Amino acid sequence: MKLQWKPQPGAVWKLLNQYKYVLLVIAAGILLLLWPTGDGRREPDGGAQAEAREDFDLEALEEKLSRTLSQVEGAGQVTVTLTVKSGMEQVLASDRTTSVTDRGSSVEEETVLVNSGGSQEAVLLSRNYPTFQGALVVCQGGDSAEIRLLLTQAVSSLTGLGADRVTVCKGAG
């Protein structure tokens, strides 16, 4: 006995209508998987460009803050000085070996290196940026309580310092 399939008129449309929401979700998922991400530019792995962008320059930050705060109406010319608790720190991956002998124990620690384009580079686990300790803002409009408050709030929000760590003074001129 041979089974034969006979298509019924409208069976396909009935099936599509029955599972239309499931098919819609599947189509949306496929569309999201195919959606391009990023701008198509890729940086070389571990390149100098990425490190240059990650470097911390305190003087450049002070200059940028000074220029930005000078734009506040009534502040006038602004100079910002920041102090930091500690410098920038890079945490490298290390391999620790502990040896126990009759005389005691010893610990050897070696930095993990990877081959990259014919040279060896240390594996960077994290980069800890400096923590700010305080800020001094000197400006022409520093005698106004409103300007002092605005500049204190601005420096606090940009550096993460509390208002008690930011001092705004009136400058000469």
Side-chain angles (χ1 to χ4, degrees):
M1 176 170 178
K2 196 173 189 184
L3 294 175
Q4 290 221 341
W5 180 72
K6 292 184 181 179
Q8 296 178 356
V12 173
W13 293 114
K14 182 179 177 186
L15 202 61
L16 285 176
N17 192 33
Q18 183 179 359
Y19 293 106
K20 64 183 170 190
Y21 295 113
V22 173
L23 294 173
L24 185 63
V25 169
I26 291 172
I30 291 172
L31 181 67
L32 287 175
L33 286 173
L34 297 175
W35 193 275
T37 57
D39 57 2
R41 293 182 291 169
R42 292 187 176 218
E43 249 181 51
D45 293 338
Q49 292 175 349
E51 287 183 24
R53 221 180 33 226
E54 296 286 330
D55 287 341
F56 178 79
D57 186 1
L58 182 62
E59 290 176 6
L61 179 61
E62 290 174 340
E63 179 63 32
K64 186 175 181 179
L65 274 172
S66 297
R67 283 194 320 265
T68 304
L69 295 176
S70 293
Q71 301 299 313
V72 174
E73 187 176 341
Q77 183 64 32
V78 177
T79 303
V80 177
T81 303
L82 297 170
T83 57
V84 292
K85 286 184 181 179
S86 61
M88 188 163 170
E89 177 185 44
Q90 294 183 349
V91 179
L92 303 176
S94 62
D95 186 18
R96 185 176 291 177
T97 306
T98 305
S99 303
V100 179
T101 61
D102 293 340
R103 296 183 219 170
S105 63
S106 65
V107 177
E108 292 182 22
E109 192 168 331
E110 295 182 17
T111 302
V112 177
L113 301 174
V114 293
N115 291 328
S116 174
S119 64
Q120 290 188 334
E121 293 182 12
V123 176
L124 181 65
L125 289 179
S126 67
R127 188 170 289 175
N128 300 330
Y129 288 94
T131 304
F132 294 107
Q133 184 172 348
L136 172 65
V137 179
V138 179
C139 66
Q140 294 170 340
D143 55 347
S144 166
E146 181 183 3
I147 298 300
R148 284 196 311 269
L149 177 62
L150 285 172
L151 295 182
T152 300
Q153 288 174 339
V155 172
S156 293
S157 66
L158 293 171
T159 61
L161 289 169
D164 61 326
R165 301 273 183 186
V166 178
T167 303
V168 179
C169 300
K170 178 174 175 54

